Amino acid sequence: MNELEVFKALSNQTRLQILRWLRDPDKHFTPQGHSFTEVGGCVGQIQQKCGLTQSTVSEYLALLQRAGLVTATRRGQWTYYKRNDEAFEQLGKFVQSTL
Amino acid sequence: MNELEVFKALSNQTRLQILRWLRDPDKHFTPQGHSFTEVGGCVGQIQQKCGLTQSTVSEYLALLQRAGLVTATRRGQWTYYKRNDEAFEQLGKFVQSTL
DNA sequence: TTGGCATATCGGAAAAAACCGATATATCTT
DNA sequence: AAGATATATCGGTTTTTTCCGATATGCCAA
């Protein structure tokens, strides 16, 4: 875990919001063939909810992925992003015991 | 706790380093009348260790204080900054259970 | 294999953060 | 009161981040 990269990823209101949505995808996204709890949410739906352009949201999600906070799954033409629960668990412990 | 402000405060290598030093002040700073474990480290010594200018370090410490990650104590002409352990405890829990 | 749709990447303008030197403020000494 | 020392604040330059439109890539259906 690159702590600086992680904190930078978390230093943006929109990205924090996205992570909160992904905490409970079924509540915030409407299914489209795949279970959201399984694969997460797709770029398009996330984009609509935050109101930024497609390219910006795509970059944000890639950035969150690089930081290890979400994982990506390609299903056909869609990419689903899912919260990486373990990363948050680890980060929480790191903040308390090492940082 | 303003989470965005906190994460922004943590998004800088030097500030992360400062927090690590303040985690165990007696190991990293030489005393000068006050117990570091009691009050923390003073701006001058922190400045020397990180090699940036006095004004930059002063601003960094003020920023960490605004984010609630450190507390400040004035003793005569010195200001001592101390790690706010409780804040990190809280932040760790927040990351795991809410973020 | 062509067109449509979802996503990714690129290049750049605008906003924010990093960091500095100069200067102000506060405290101690004499 | 004046000088010395520690810290805080201000104004400005450079670097990074934000966010966009345009375009490229990947996948599917006709």
Side-chain angles (χ1 to χ4, degrees), chain B:
Chain B
M1 181 185 51
N2 178 341
E3 72 211 61
L4 185 57
E5 189 178 22
V6 168
F7 289 131
K8 282 188 177 176
L10 295 173
S11 294
N12 176 283
Q13 195 69 72
T14 304
R15 289 194 295 266
L16 289 176
Q17 181 62 76
I18 291 172
L19 289 170
R20 264 188 293 268
W21 287 328
L22 290 181
R23 171 170 263 278
D24 191 356
D26 284 308
K27 193 188 249 162
H28 298 289
F29 304 106
T30 54
Q32 80 193 158
H34 303 294
S35 153
F36 279 121
T37 326
E38 185 196 341
V39 292
C42 71
V43 182
Q45 292 201 23
I46 296 171
Q47 190 233 316
Q48 289 191 325
K49 282 183 83 79
C50 58
L52 299 176
T53 62
Q54 186 272 323
S55 63
T56 300
V57 174
S58 179
E59 271 167 4
Y60 278 6
L61 288 166
L63 189 155
L64 288 170
Q65 190 194 8
R66 260 177 278 146
L69 296 170
V70 301
T71 56
T73 316
R74 257 267 173 183
R75 293 272 166 111
Q77 42 198 153
W78 291 275
T79 308
Y80 294 94
Y81 285 90
K82 185 180 180 176
R83 203 181 109 101
N84 182 0
D85 293 317
E86 206 182 324
F88 287 87
E89 195 64 37
Q90 262 188 254
L91 179 61
K93 282 187 186 137
F94 171 80
V95 165
Q96 292 184 346
S97 62
T98 312
L99 182 63

Side-chain angles (χ1 to χ4, degrees), chain A residues 72-83:
Chain A
T73 317
R74 257 265 173 187
R75 293 273 165 109
Q77 44 198 150
W78 291 275
T79 309
Y80 295 93
Y81 286 91
K82 186 180 180 176
R83 203 182 110 103

